[in-house]
Amino acid sequence: MTHAASFRHQFRSGGSYELGIEVGSTDDAGLQAVLSAVWAAAGVQGCYGHGDREPEEQEAVPCTVASLEEFGHLHGRVRLPSGDLVVCGVMAVRGGDDSGDWLDFSVPDSALDAAGVSYWDGRSFYRSALIDDWLAAIAAEAFRSAPFSCAAVGWEVSGCIDAASLGGELPEKRSVGYLVPRDGVLRYGPAND
């Protein structure tokens, strides 16, 4: 197993390259629908509750909201567009009475580094068109079976936008990639600023 796909060497420090999705509700059924759709669209291999043990050292868990609540994160492996197998994870931020839920699908920076994926060009934030477009494609596929309010792709993006402030429109200048539904169609605006 390559370092990029090793659980034990990930999830410790650094950040993550993310697909952050505003689910649009706070009920378990809505979150479950988006979780299942993202896991399937990404083609994630396995589902595990512990990021500090290799899959061979733990039992698989169901890819459910109940598992997310029990473990805090779910982990698996996914193939990047380059063909490299890397670790990935998902977590939920429950909105409660104040806002809707968020689902955050991510690949740790350390896994991208180990796979040789470039995502920093000296700017004050990370950006990879390859990973942005891949995550946007996962979002678009997931949206077909589990529509959501909006999403963002980029480095540490979860919660950086919300559907209410976007009003169904893509901002002209975007430091991250935006995915905004309008009339049942999910539109993608890649980072351009």
Side-chain angles (χ1 to χ4, degrees):
M1 188 61 52
T2 67
H3 181 72
S6 172
F7 279 29
R8 191 167 278 115
H9 298 289
Q10 317 302 326
F11 309 116
R12 296 269 191 251
S13 62
S16 294
Y17 218 93
E18 300 174 340
L19 163 60
I21 298 174
E22 183 180 21
V23 175
S25 70
T26 58
D27 64 82
D28 285 355
L31 183 58
Q32 181 63 59
V34 174
L35 170 61
S36 296
V38 166
W39 212 255
V44 178
Q45 300 172 18
C47 184
Y48 304 93
H50 300 284
D52 60 348
R53 300 180 209 158
E54 298 303 325
E56 304 79 37
E57 302 169 353
Q58 61 181 307
E59 296 291 322
V61 299
C63 187
T64 62
V65 172
S67 292
L68 269 176
E69 289 175 354
E70 179 179 349
F71 296 102
H73 291 82
L74 297 176
H75 309 283
R77 291 178 173 138
V78 67
R79 289 224 178 261
L80 296 177
S82 63
D84 292 293
L85 187 65
V86 297
V87 297
C88 64
V90 67
M91 64 174 281
V93 178
R94 305 303 300 260
D97 295 335
D98 298 330
S99 64
D101 293 339
W102 279 82
L103 185 78
D104 182 30
F105 175 79
S106 62
V107 175
D109 295 351
S110 56
L112 294 174
D113 290 340
V117 174
S118 176
Y119 56 89
W120 190 62
D121 61 4
R123 297 181 218 198
S124 58
F125 48 88
Y126 296 147
R127 182 178 298 158
S128 166
L130 174 75
I131 303 300
D132 283 356
D133 292 348
W134 173 65
L135 291 171
I138 290 169
E141 180 65 28
F143 185 81
R144 287 185 183 97
S145 61
F148 47 80
S149 295
C150 70
V153 295
W155 190 76
E156 301 285 332
V157 297
S158 186
C160 73
I161 62 167
D162 65 81
S165 63
L166 292 173
E169 298 296 329
L170 289 168
E172 232 176 85
K173 290 187 176 186
R174 299 175 297 273
S175 60
V176 300
Y178 286 75
L179 294 116
V180 179
R182 186 167 174 190
D183 300 325
V185 176
L186 187 65
R187 297 174 302 135
Y188 173 48
N192 63 7
D193 186 23

